[in-house]
Amino acid sequence: MKFFVDTADTAAISELHDLGMVDGVTTNPSLIHKSGRDIKDVIAEIAGMVPGPVSAETVATDAKGMIAEGLELKKLGENIAIKVPLTWEGLKACKTLSDDGHMVNVTLCFSANQALLAAKAGASFISPFVGRLDDINIDGMELIADIRAIYDNYDFKTEILAASIRTANHMTEAAKIGADVATAPPDVIRKMAAHPLTDKGLKAFLDDWAKTGQKIL
Ligand code: G3P
């Protein structure tokens, strides 16, 4: 499973990228707002740091506007994936941009039917929002599994990008189901390394080591 980082925080991207944990980056208008930076400046910087796809989201609500904004964002880097919402207008924009050879990430997906339409419209990525479904008491991972089954039935090439990932457990579940990509906030990726038995075991080893009075260096 590829790891995308769901953030516009360039310091966090850089730290994870140095560890080989970043196959791409996703952003959205809320994350741009959180960064406090100009969208074009921050997206261009990220696109220069990370070779993989960097999703930059349009904000127009009509297809023509989404296409125009998408093409403008695409100027910021060859690796930009134009992000459009899963509305009827977004699907139109997806089809036009995909036909013209652009990577398109269709976002705000909450149903298998929406994912089916995005694949038909040529999306490179579909972004089902796991955490926001969990928030309303619907199992978000079930949606990932349904989309996986449907895409595999027909050999759709659209990649399943599990989004709105909130916990390390979401990452495990997405990987078990076979999501192509999961995009997670930096903290969730860091938490994947944590285990209380690792901490406990390390403490015991270090305590015993101290008792030996030895040094390695
Ligand atoms: O990838 C989409 C993501 O940014 C949404 O996450 O936590 O706001 O639902 P969240």
Side-chain angles (χ1 to χ4, degrees), residues 29 31 44 156:
L31 293 170
F156 282 121

PDB file of all heavy atoms in Angstrom, residues 29 31 44 156:
ATOM      1  N   PRO A  29      -8.812  22.276   0.746  1.00  0.00           N
ATOM      2  CA  PRO A  29      -8.891  23.685   1.152  1.00  0.00           C
ATOM      3  C   PRO A  29      -8.737  23.887   2.660  1.00  0.00           C
ATOM      4  O   PRO A  29      -8.150  24.884   3.102  1.00  0.00           O
ATOM      5  CB  PRO A  29     -10.287  24.106   0.666  1.00  0.00           C
ATOM      6  CG  PRO A  29     -10.548  23.213  -0.511  1.00  0.00           C
ATOM      7  CD  PRO A  29      -9.948  21.893  -0.136  1.00  0.00           C
ATOM      8  N   LEU A  31      -6.888  22.065   4.685  1.00  0.00           N
ATOM      9  CA  LEU A  31      -5.462  21.905   5.035  1.00  0.00           C
ATOM     10  C   LEU A  31      -4.652  23.114   4.568  1.00  0.00           C
ATOM     11  O   LEU A  31      -3.679  23.516   5.228  1.00  0.00           O
ATOM     12  CB  LEU A  31      -4.910  20.609   4.432  1.00  0.00           C
ATOM     13  CG  LEU A  31      -5.495  19.317   5.034  1.00  0.00           C
ATOM     14  CD1 LEU A  31      -5.073  18.091   4.225  1.00  0.00           C
ATOM     15  CD2 LEU A  31      -5.071  19.165   6.496  1.00  0.00           C
ATOM     16  N   ALA A  44       3.407  24.335  -4.904  1.00  0.00           N
ATOM     17  CA  ALA A  44       4.631  24.275  -5.728  1.00  0.00           C
ATOM     18  C   ALA A  44       5.790  23.725  -4.895  1.00  0.00           C
ATOM     19  O   ALA A  44       6.577  22.901  -5.373  1.00  0.00           O
ATOM     20  CB  ALA A  44       4.968  25.657  -6.275  1.00  0.00           C
ATOM     21  N   PHE A 156     -11.062  -2.185 -13.078  1.00  0.00           N
ATOM     22  CA  PHE A 156     -10.904  -0.725 -13.197  1.00  0.00           C
ATOM     23  C   PHE A 156      -9.506  -0.335 -12.739  1.00  0.00           C
ATOM     24  O   PHE A 156      -8.992  -0.886 -11.758  1.00  0.00           O
ATOM     25  CB  PHE A 156     -11.927   0.015 -12.329  1.00  0.00           C
ATOM     26  CG  PHE A 156     -13.298   0.063 -12.925  1.00  0.00           C
ATOM     27  CD1 PHE A 156     -14.392  -0.477 -12.247  1.00  0.00           C
ATOM     28  CD2 PHE A 156     -13.528   0.677 -14.159  1.00  0.00           C
ATOM     29  CE1 PHE A 156     -15.673  -0.420 -12.783  1.00  0.00           C
ATOM     30  CE2 PHE A 156     -14.807   0.735 -14.700  1.00  0.00           C
ATOM     31  CZ  PHE A 156     -15.873   0.182 -14.010  1.00  0.00           C
TER      32      PHE A 156
END
